[in-house]
Amino acid sequence: MMLQTIITAGATFYVTIAACLFTQWADIMQRDLGKRSQLLLLRIFLVIVTLFWPIIVPIAYLELLIKVKKDKEKMSWLAERSPESFSATTADDSLLS
């Protein structure tokens, strides 16, 4: 009885998340759909991705984390450079006066 409850809860969770992801991804694909000739291929892709969401979502999340880390490093590098360039500009302006 306990195993049946766990399996039912897991299946319900899987189907609920799959349905939510399917509607979101279908909406995104509908907005980005450029060519009607690729419609069948996109639908097949959408079904496959929805079925394998437990694998796809963590991979996409890891890629997002890597991208955010790189962007954060770039922003910190730019933040470190900004005061130096600002002080150099004000020093040049004082020489011109």
Side-chain angles (χ1 to χ4, degrees):
M1 183 68 173
M2 181 71 157
L3 182 62
Q4 184 180 7
T5 305
I6 292 172
I7 291 172
T8 303
T12 303
F13 177 76
Y14 175 86
V15 170
T16 303
I17 299 298
C20 291
L21 290 173
F22 181 85
T23 56
Q24 290 294 319
W25 289 335
D27 183 47
I28 291 169
M29 285 186 177
Q30 189 71 18
R31 284 185 273 154
D32 292 342
L33 187 62
K35 297 180 180 177
R36 295 285 179 193
S37 62
Q38 296 177 347
L39 188 61
L40 179 62
L41 183 62
L42 288 175
R43 286 183 180 167
I44 293 170
F45 174 75
L46 183 61
V47 169
I48 291 171
V49 169
T50 302
L51 290 175
F52 293 106
W53 73 261
I55 298 168
I56 303 295
V57 170
I59 291 171
Y61 184 71
L62 289 174
E63 288 179 5
L64 182 64
L65 286 177
I66 291 168
K67 182 181 177 192
V68 167
K69 184 178 178 183
K70 287 181 182 178
D71 288 345
K72 190 175 181 179
E73 290 172 358
K74 288 178 187 176
M75 294 303 279
S76 65
W77 182 81
L78 287 173
E80 290 172 1
R81 298 290 179 209
S82 292
E84 293 172 7
S85 62
F86 179 72
S87 62
T89 304
T90 48
D92 291 341
D93 290 342
S94 64
L95 291 174
L96 295 175
S97 302

